[in-house]
Amino acid sequence: MAKVIFKRPESLTDKPFHYCPGCTHGIIHRLVAEVIDEMGMRDNTVGVCPVGCSVFAYDYFNVDMFQAAHGRAPAVATGIKRCLPDRLVFTYQGDGDLASIGTAEIVHAAARSENITTIFVNNAVYGMTGGQMAPTTLPGQKTTTTPRGREKELNGLPVRVCEMLATLDGATYVARVSVHDPKHIVQAKKAIRKAFEIQKAGLGFALVEVLSTCPTNWGLSPKEAIKWLADNMIPYYPLGVYKEPAEVK
Ligand SMILES: Cc1ncc(C[n+]2csc(CCOP(=O)(O)OP(=O)(O)O)c2C)c(N)n1
Ligand code: SF4
């Protein structure tokens, strides 16, 4: 009998992703689902979706899912985790959702060291609403609201979420990864696994920022978008672990 060496994770439904060609939201969904499967937590996980392109994550994850208003996923996840402490609770949020309208929510969830896990997808634009500037848009980057490129004087400078949250005593695990090639995808999965293990051990707030593409709003082909991420985003958003508890090092 043939040996199965690769299959769709059970923590994903059969529904095909609606994401644009070359969008890495799908890769990140898969990694989260693989980790839930490997931890044997499919029946005991609750996810919270944001607004943004990943709002439909509730159709894709084969676990209990909630949908929160813009930026409020950490507050919703806090309520769920406090009521059901045995569940693995995660939020899945874009940069417009988490670093703009939801800034206060994520900062205070981290400061309170809520025992939840956040998957933060940084694609440097508001994807769903047409590619407006996000807090993470790079200096000089063209978006629909910065057609001449983001200017420091007019638009301010980007927010580096991992660096900011790592300053909070309550944040337990903070790491930035990328999914632009197979090596980095493997590393990204390890960080997501670690963030979930930290929650399982009751150690507090964990966030994994994943650098992601938005070929549609960047105006690039999927291949060009991968290169743009590696060449432009990684130098501004260095990959690595920004905070880690001694228990899991
Ligand atoms: C409460 C609320 N405010 C604003 C919006 C409009 N809105 C929907 S998606 C979105 C941007 C999301 O961008 P991001 O979080 O970066 O996710 P992406 O689509 O890039 O994955 C905005 C502003 C909304 N749906 N709900
Ligand atoms: S608009 Fe951007 S973030 Fe949204 S699905 Fe398309 S490529 Fe992905």
Side-chain angles (χ1 to χ4, degrees), residues 39-56:
M39 289 175 73
M41 291 297 282
R42 200 193 75 69
D43 292 333
N44 286 301
T45 297
V46 186
V48 186
C49 306
V51 300
C53 287
S54 51
V55 62
F56 297 125

Side-chain angles (χ1 to χ4, degrees), residues 18-20 23 25 53 123 127-128 213-217:
H18 73 286
Y19 300 114
C20 308
C23 176
H25 263 307
C53 287
N123 61 14
M128 186 191 223
T213 58
C214 182
T216 300
N217 289 301

Side-chain angles (χ1 to χ4, degrees), residues 25 50-54 69-71 93-98 101 121 123 125-129 132 134 214:
H25 263 307
V51 300
C53 287
S54 51
H70 204 302
Q93 302 175 258
D95 44 76
D97 182 274
L98 179 143
I101 301 181
V121 181
N123 61 14
V125 283
Y126 280 30
M128 186 191 223
T129 45
Q132 297 93 331
C214 182

Side-chain angles (χ1 to χ4, degrees), residues 14-38:
D14 288 338
K15 191 159 185 176
F17 296 140
H18 73 286
Y19 300 114
C20 308
C23 176
T24 41
H25 263 307
I27 295 175
I28 304 164
H29 281 13
R30 185 182 176 101
L31 296 183
V32 173
E34 284 180 358
V35 168
I36 297 168
D37 277 12
E38 286 166 19

